[in-house]
Amino acid sequence: MCHALLQDSRFFRLLLQIDIELAAQSRAGGCQCGGVLHCANYPRKPRACLNEIREDYEWRFSFCCHLCRKRATSMSVRFLGRRVYLGLAVVLMSAGRTEASPEVAELSKLLAVPVRTIQRWRSWWAAQFPATPLWQAACARFMPPVDLSQLPGSLIERFAGPAAESLMRLLVFLSPLTVRHPVTLNEGC
Ligand SMILES: [Zn+2]
C-alpha cells in the first residue's frame, strides 16, 4: 500500500488543483434555471490532514445560484462526501486485511485517526459502497470482478501505475460519490 502519500504535501496540492478544475467545470455549467453560480464554499475542519496543506483543505468548493439560490457543490478528490477526514485517508487507511498492521497503527497515531473511525470506514466499504449508484453503474467495467470482501484494497489494485498516479485516478473515479446527485461517470477508469 502507498501510505507514504498520506504524508506527501505535493500530492495533496495536486489534488487541490484537480478540485479547482472540477469546481470551474461546475461553475461554467451554471444553474439549471439559467442563473449564474456564485461562490459559496463550505468551511471544513479537515482531519488526517498535514499542517502544511491545512489552509488548502479548509474549504469545500460550492456555489449558489443568484436567481433560485439552489446549491451546486462540485465533485471533489480531496473529500469523500461529508466526512471531515480527507478522502485519501478513507481510501488508504481502510485497505488491507487487518487494522493492526504496524503501518496503519503508526499512521493512525500520527494523523490522529481513531481505530474505531477506521472500522467505520471499513464497514462503509463493505456494506454501503457496493450499493452506491456509482458502483452499480461502474462495477461491470472491472473484469474479473472486484472482490467486494476486500474493498477498498481490491479496488486500489485495479488502478495500475505509480502510486501517486493510480491513487489520483481512483479518487477521480470516486469523486461522483462526493455529491448528492452525480451527473456523469468519469470515463477511462
Ligand atoms: Zn438557479
Side-chain angles (χ1 to χ4, degrees), residues 31 33 35 65 68:
C31 182
C33 79
C65 173
C68 72

Side-chain angles (χ1 to χ4, degrees), residues 113-177:
V113 183
V115 171
R116 63 172 187 282
T117 300
I118 302 176
Q119 282 161 349
R120 236 186 10 247
W121 294 340
R122 286 211 163 104
S123 329
W124 178 80
W125 283 108
Q128 282 156 277
F129 175 74
T132 58
L134 170 74
W135 186 248
Q136 291 294 311
C139 62
R141 288 194 221 153
F142 296 90
M143 270 304 151
V146 172
D147 180 356
L148 297 182
S149 71
Q150 296 300 322
L151 284 171
S154 52
L155 184 61
I156 298 173
E157 282 167 11
R158 299 306 178 91
F159 290 78
E165 193 194 313
S166 101
L167 263 298
M168 185 196 76
R169 282 166 47 232
L170 173 59
L171 290 168
V172 170
F173 169 74
L174 294 173
S175 65
L177 288 176

Side-chain angles (χ1 to χ4, degrees), residues 52-69:
E52 57 260 47
I53 52 135
R54 187 165 295 275
E55 217 176 297
D56 292 340
Y57 278 68
E58 286 182 328
W59 300 101
R60 172 82 199 265
F61 297 124
S62 187
F63 303 95
C64 184
C65 173
H66 87 297
L67 286 180
C68 72
R69 312 308 297 171

Side-chain angles (χ1 to χ4, degrees), residues 5-185:
L5 284 179
L6 283 166
Q7 296 176 74
D8 184 344
S9 53
R10 279 174 318 172
F11 185 66
F12 285 109
R13 293 206 176 92
L14 172 73
L15 296 183
L16 171 68
Q17 289 311 312
I18 297 175
D19 269 14
I20 290 173
E21 279 169 38
L22 289 171
Q25 280 169 24
S26 327
R27 189 175 206 174
C31 182
Q32 284 176 335
C33 79
V36 174
L37 295 177
H38 287 229
C39 196
N41 293 340
Y42 285 115
R44 282 290 173 105
K45 286 195 165 54
R47 298 210 196 145
C49 183
L50 301 171
N51 280 329
E52 57 260 47
I53 52 135
R54 187 165 295 275
E55 217 176 297
D56 292 340
Y57 278 68
E58 286 182 328
W59 300 101
R60 172 82 199 265
F61 297 124
S62 187
F63 303 95
C64 184
C65 173
H66 87 297
L67 286 180
C68 72
R69 312 308 297 171
K70 224 159 103 184
R71 274 269 178 183
T73 300
S74 53
M75 295 193 289
S76 175
V77 293
R78 291 178 302 156
F79 301 104
L80 200 51
R82 296 180 169 201
R83 290 181 184 83
V84 289
Y85 291 93
L86 304 193
L88 184 66
V90 179
V91 171
L92 281 183
M93 293 183 73
S94 37
R97 275 159 206 270
T98 61
E99 67 253 24
S101 92
E103 224 180 348
V104 171
E106 197 181 307
L107 271 170
S108 114
K109 238 187 251 164
L110 191 76
L111 299 172
V113 183
V115 171
R116 63 172 187 282
T117 300
I118 302 176
Q119 282 161 349
R120 236 186 10 247
W121 294 340
R122 286 211 163 104
S123 329
W124 178 80
W125 283 108
Q128 282 156 277
F129 175 74
T132 58
L134 170 74
W135 186 248
Q136 291 294 311
C139 62
R141 288 194 221 153
F142 296 90
M143 270 304 151
V146 172
D147 180 356
L148 297 182
S149 71
Q150 296 300 322
L151 284 171
S154 52
L155 184 61
I156 298 173
E157 282 167 11
R158 299 306 178 91
F159 290 78
E165 193 194 313
S166 101
L167 263 298
M168 185 196 76
R169 282 166 47 232
L170 173 59
L171 290 168
V172 170
F173 169 74
L174 294 173
S175 65
L177 288 176
T178 62
V179 291
R180 227 174 302 163
H181 304 291
V183 227
T184 46
L185 290 175

